[in-house]
Amino acid sequence: MFNYYLRLALLSIRRNPILSGLMVAAIALGIGASMTTITVNYLMSSNPIPQKSEQLYYVQVDSWDPNNPAEEPNEPPDQLTWTDANNLYAAQKAERQVIMATTAAVVEPPSQDAKPFNAYIRLTTNEFFPMFDVPFLYGGHWQASADKGREQVVVLSRKSNDKIFGGENSVGRSLRLAGRQFTVVGVLESWYPAPKFYDVGTGAFDEPEDLYIPFLLKEELQLPNGGNTNCWKTPEEDSFAGFLRSECIHYQMWVELPNEQDKQAYLAFLNNYANEQKALGRFSRPLNNRLSDVMQWMENRQVVTDDARVMLWLSLMFLVVCLLNTVGLLLAKFSGKSAEIGLRRAIGASRQALFYQHLVETACIGLTGGIAGLALAYLGLLGIGSLYGSFADNLTSLDINMVLLALLLSLISSIAAGLYPTWRACSIAPASQLKSQ
Amino acid sequence: MLNMQNVTKIFRTDLVETRALSDFNLHVKEGEFVTVTGPSGSGKTTFLNIAGLLESFDDGVYDLDGQNVRHLNDTQRSRLRNEKIGFIFQSFNLIPDLDLFDNVDVPLRYRGFNSSERKRRIERCLELVGLANRMKHLPAQLSGGQQQRVAIARALAGEPRFLLADEPTGNLDSKMAHSVMQLLKDINDEGTTIVMVTHDPSLAREAKRNIFVKDGKVSDVTHITASTPEQVASISASGACHV
Ligand SMILES: Nc1ncnc2c1ncn2[C@@H]1O[C@H](COP(=O)(O)OP(=O)(O)OP(=O)(O)O)[C@@H](O)[C@H]1O
Ligand SMILES: [Mg+2]
């Protein structure tokens, strides 16, 4: 019977192509708009490292102004001072730990043809790569000794390896960075975590940095600050070293803690550290240290922006408007079919059979609208991509879940829109339509 | 076969109440061919719609094939319509974008026959009405008489025991009308009970019995050819498509 209904549905859709086209268009617009915003919200709130997001914790210690919280109502600062980052790292109390910051410097490629360029650099420690499951194309990360020894080694993103070395295996080759000679130890595979969870400070959907170098080179090469720097009191000395010693926050720390016990132990360690610092005259605020796992941290940083949420609701409302339109169009369409419905009733179709027949028809229209809506959503995402720049690569892909969701949404919404018209059509008394004509 | 006692139908609108049928009494036996005549507005169509379970009624008793239909639900009524009753309407009521084959197919679909059974029945019935070679034509490509023949084929395809026709020849010229009438008589000879509403007295006379409806009541019954109950009973009750 389903095949029969399907055939009747296609016939009926062909019978009034304009009306059918309008319905498909209404559903497509609604689905297109809502799928665009749903996808953006979905990707914004997706887990960038599901396999271990509950074992990675962002570290916050409250080193802030005794008189004001870093953020209302009583949030600890979102980054660490140089002093705290180095102390906590040196303690090595977690399974793995990483401290990091962003900077920028000029890269001079070895080849004469390639021009020097300003590169975005992540200063980090060697466990960054295994901790965040960063995939390597060539080579690997540097060793802990390179961190300690402030060795001039570099890991390149795939993109910058393409740019500097034409995509060759460049491990062992050298390049000039910030006026010094660096040796390449590894090249990453394409890696675009979205959100860029390990540092959302400069834009949760920015591309990862071009180059990665050992953290302590910050001091060694007196590299400038990238990203955000906040100070609750002005540095006492004017020099670079003075700035490092100040209470300004600019550094991030993540720790890997495999289980709850480890987490509690680490928190105790942080509190202990804060108390030690109190004894030294720092950390005047009440104890307020925090460990947030990846998704908690994304929530805390409001990675899904309010804009995106508002757009989501607006687009869902738009979908409702489109569906109300579809209800009207379906009423018109089915009332044009009342003669046929009356006839089918008279020669033996039950109300149920007719209801089913028209539901199949509505679902066909809905699915067609859904597919057209997906195409619109794709265009919408391209549009958003071009507005947000590099956001495009990470956020504007429609994965299979989204495609299925779109089809399901269009099916459900068209059936919802079709219920009332279908019910009306089927409650036509069989006799009333047969006299006329 | 069909037994109505004191059936009353009142149409109510906000302003008026119309007594379309009042105390309507009729008994139609298996295998009969009854024609119904009467002035316009007398309640003929209303009677036929009630007889065909297309419409409910307000009072009285209606037994179809020994079954009281008063309290059947929609699905049961649809099923009875589908299995026992064939309809022929004045304005053919074919579905314009289905070809003849698919039009005759409609009642069979709801009956749940498999496709070879449906095909067999459709081809037989279209052959019976002389249109087997036009199966893939659309209704618009046929003359009025041919369209009515398709409607008859559709009514017969389910092999109903009971055929209801509301002015089936009303839209046809008299030559066509007589050929449709002849077809109905042939079908009746095969054992199908027929009730036909007509305005044409010459057609009405061709049936075995004619009832005259006036003001929602049967006011006169004329037996045109005497047919004893034994004769009626001797006619096979099998469907008309078994030619
Ligand atoms: N749906 C309805 N609502 C209100 N009144 C109705 C309805 N259908 C029929 N009637 C009224 O019931 C009465 C009988 O109508 P019916 O259609 O049965 O007449 P008829 O004998 O078939 O007439 P005709 O020969 O013109 O077809 C008429 O007075 C008509 O106005
Ligand atoms: Mg009438």
Side-chain angles (χ1 to χ4, degrees):
Chain A
M1 222 42 194
F2 179 77
N3 287 341
Y4 182 56
Y5 291 148
L6 200 62
R7 219 179 90 212
L8 292 178
L10 295 181
L11 267 176
S12 166
I13 287 169
R14 263 205 313 235
R15 191 184 310 161
N16 356 50
I18 293 180
L19 214 51
S20 311
L22 282 173
M23 282 187 280
V24 168
I27 292 174
L29 281 176
I31 293 290
S34 44
M35 279 318 295
T36 306
T37 59
I38 288 174
T39 305
V40 168
N41 274 268
Y42 164 79
L43 292 174
M44 277 183 164
S45 59
S46 65
N47 188 338
I49 182 160
Q51 67 277 18
K52 58 197 295 191
S53 67
E54 286 169 8
Q55 291 162 30
L56 298 175
Y57 294 88
Y58 190 78
V59 177
Q60 286 171 281
V61 292
D62 202 341
S63 60
W64 211 245
D65 183 353
N67 304 315
N68 293 299
E71 273 173 56
E72 294 295 342
N74 185 27
E75 290 286 301
D78 63 345
Q79 298 187 106
L80 304 176
T81 62
W82 172 264
T83 313
D84 294 327
N86 279 291
N87 288 344
L88 294 174
Y89 181 73
Q92 292 284 316
K93 288 285 184 202
E95 169 105 353
R96 280 170 176 154
Q97 44 256 300
V98 58
I99 49 175
M100 56 196 188
T102 49
T103 187
V106 173
V107 170
E108 299 164 60
S111 126
Q112 299 299 324
D113 315 332
K115 285 200 195 105
F117 65 96
N118 198 34
Y120 292 99
I121 299 169
R122 179 145 297 263
L123 291 155
T124 187
T125 49
N126 73 318
E127 285 176 326
F128 176 90
F129 305 95
M131 241 175 108
F132 297 140
D133 287 349
V134 187
F136 275 86
L137 182 63
Y138 303 122
H141 58 84
W142 61 82
Q143 300 306 313
S145 55
D147 278 315
K148 240 182 233 121
R150 305 179 181 205
E151 287 173 20
Q152 287 164 14
V153 289
V154 61
V155 167
L156 303 179
S157 72
R158 181 168 187 165
K159 206 161 150 189
S160 43
N161 186 56
D162 289 347
K163 192 163 164 183
I164 303 169
F165 295 106
E168 284 172 28
N169 182 350
S170 57
V171 172
R173 297 186 58 179
S174 54
L175 57 83
R176 284 185 74 77
L177 174 63
R180 304 287 189 97
Q181 203 72 13
F182 275 71
T183 307
V184 178
V185 294
V187 176
L188 301 186
E189 258 296 0
S190 296
W191 183 58
Y192 296 103
K196 190 185 139 195
F197 63 98
Y198 59 86
D199 182 8
V200 293
T202 49
F205 301 96
D206 279 2
E207 273 183 44
E209 292 74 12
D210 305 317
L211 273 64
Y212 302 78
I213 60 175
F215 183 78
L216 289 177
L217 291 174
K218 166 94 181 169
E219 187 177 32
E220 189 78 12
L221 307 184
Q222 303 210 345
L223 293 168
N225 291 354
N228 300 321
T229 309
N230 289 301
C231 311
W232 61 273
K233 89 181 177 197
T234 37
E236 283 156 22
E237 307 150 75
D238 223 7
S239 64
F240 190 85
F243 179 78
L244 291 185
R245 275 195 294 275
S246 75
E247 288 294 339
C248 294
I249 55 167
H250 173 63
Y251 308 91
Q252 305 108 38
M253 179 174 199
W254 286 86
V255 290
E256 182 171 338
L257 303 167
N259 56 47
E260 185 62 27
Q261 219 175 332
D262 296 336
K263 183 190 169 190
Q264 291 312 326
Y266 200 81
L267 203 54
F269 159 70
L270 288 180
N271 291 339
N272 198 23
Y273 172 77
N275 285 327
E276 272 172 38
Q277 294 299 312
K278 280 176 191 287
L280 296 172
R282 296 180 67 223
F283 284 60
S284 323
R285 299 183 59 76
L287 278 188
N288 186 18
N289 306 318
R290 204 178 283 176
L291 291 171
S292 314
D293 72 19
V294 174
M295 294 316 279
Q296 287 166 341
W297 186 235
M298 296 302 99
E299 180 70 30
N300 182 288
R301 293 293 91 193
Q302 298 186 325
V303 164
V304 184
T305 58
D306 288 343
D307 286 9
R309 289 217 172 95
V310 169
M311 286 303 293
L312 175 67
W313 286 112
L314 283 179
S315 68
L316 288 177
M317 254 133 78
F318 180 64
L319 176 64
V320 169
V321 171
C322 290
L323 289 179
L324 288 177
N325 257 304
T326 310
V327 172
L329 292 168
L330 277 174
L331 280 173
K333 182 170 176 132
F334 288 167
S335 84
K337 286 179 74 180
S338 52
E340 181 187 329
I341 293 169
L343 173 75
R344 286 183 181 273
R345 293 278 284 134
I347 59 185
S350 63
R351 221 169 258 162
Q352 215 180 327
L354 281 168
F355 191 80
Y356 192 30
Q357 178 191 329
H358 289 93
L359 221 52
V360 171
E361 184 173 337
T362 339
C364 280
I365 290 170
L367 270 184
T368 316
I371 291 166
L374 268 177
L376 290 180
Y378 182 71
L379 291 180
L381 289 171
L382 283 185
I384 287 185
S386 68
L387 277 180
Y388 284 67
S390 64
F391 191 81
D393 305 332
N394 304 333
L395 263 199
T396 54
S397 60
L398 275 169
D399 67 10
I400 183 73
N401 287 335
M402 287 294 106
V403 170
L404 291 179
L405 179 70
L407 295 181
L408 195 71
L409 188 66
S410 54
L411 205 59
I412 290 173
S413 43
S414 62
I415 286 175
L419 278 182
Y420 174 65
T422 307
W423 174 81
R424 274 250 321 225
C426 299
S427 41
I428 287 173
S432 65
Q433 293 300 323
L434 298 172
K435 296 186 229 180
S436 53
Q437 267 191 3
Chain B
M1 171 96 218
L2 173 155
N3 196 359
M4 283 188 183
Q5 277 166 20
N6 301 327
V7 168
T8 299
K9 173 72 184 180
I10 301 169
F11 289 107
R12 290 188 179 84
T13 59
D14 292 342
L15 293 175
V16 283
E17 266 192 13
T18 314
R19 264 178 123 62
L21 295 183
S22 61
D23 292 331
F24 191 95
N25 289 297
L26 182 68
H27 183 71
V28 178
K29 289 192 274 298
E30 180 101 49
E32 267 196 294
F33 191 150
V34 177
T35 52
V36 180
T37 50
S40 184
S42 57
K44 303 180 298 293
T45 298
T46 307
F47 151 67
L48 216 58
N49 284 344
I50 291 174
L53 308 182
L54 292 177
E55 219 153 3
S56 60
F57 50 97
D58 298 283
D59 212 357
V61 179
Y62 172 26
D63 289 337
L64 178 65
D65 217 8
Q67 188 176 14
N68 188 333
V69 301
R70 186 75 194 260
H71 299 294
L72 298 180
N73 67 23
D74 180 72
T75 316
Q76 292 167 319
R77 292 163 83 93
S78 305
R79 211 183 150 81
L80 268 185
R81 276 205 293 275
N82 189 229
E83 290 179 2
K84 291 199 174 160
I85 304 171
F87 282 100
I88 304 166
F89 309 97
Q90 178 176 357
S91 51
F92 329 133
N93 283 301
L94 299 175
I95 298 173
D97 39 20
L98 297 183
D99 62 23
L100 302 197
F101 186 95
D102 286 333
N103 262 291
V104 178
D105 191 26
V106 172
L108 303 180
R109 289 281 182 169
Y110 297 112
R111 191 76 166 266
F113 291 132
N114 66 28
S115 76
S116 63
E117 174 70 11
R118 292 202 314 270
K119 188 161 184 289
R120 188 180 70 76
R121 286 175 180 242
I122 296 165
E123 283 170 356
R124 274 197 178 175
C125 290
L126 281 173
E127 206 166 314
L128 181 81
V129 300
L131 288 167
N133 55 344
R134 321 277 305 253
M135 261 181 314
K136 292 293 156 206
H137 285 65
L138 292 174
Q141 296 167 320
L142 302 181
S143 75
Q146 288 169 327
Q147 289 188 37
Q148 191 59 297
R149 284 166 177 278
V150 178
I152 292 172
R154 181 180 65 196
L156 295 177
E159 293 176 5
R161 307 255 310 279
F162 191 32
L163 200 59
L164 298 173
D166 194 355
E167 300 184 40
T169 58
N171 285 353
L172 305 177
D173 66 33
S174 71
K175 188 163 162 266
M176 290 264 213
H178 274 93
S179 87
V180 165
M181 187 64 194
Q182 191 52 52
L183 183 57
L184 291 177
K185 278 163 76 177
D186 292 345
I187 291 159
N188 176 246
D189 287 342
E190 291 293 322
T192 307
T193 312
I194 299 181
V195 175
M196 177 177 98
V197 170
T198 180
H199 274 132
D200 185 337
S202 72
L203 291 182
R205 271 194 300 278
E206 290 190 39
K208 290 165 189 152
R209 183 153 70 119
N210 174 243
I211 63 167
F212 188 78
V213 178
K214 204 179 163 207
D215 297 334
K217 277 192 170 68
V218 179
S219 75
D220 194 14
V221 180
T222 321
H223 287 271
I224 290 131
T225 44
S227 61
T228 63
E230 289 75 29
Q231 276 176 305
V232 171
S234 71
I235 296 167
S236 130
S238 70
C241 282
H242 289 303
V243 194

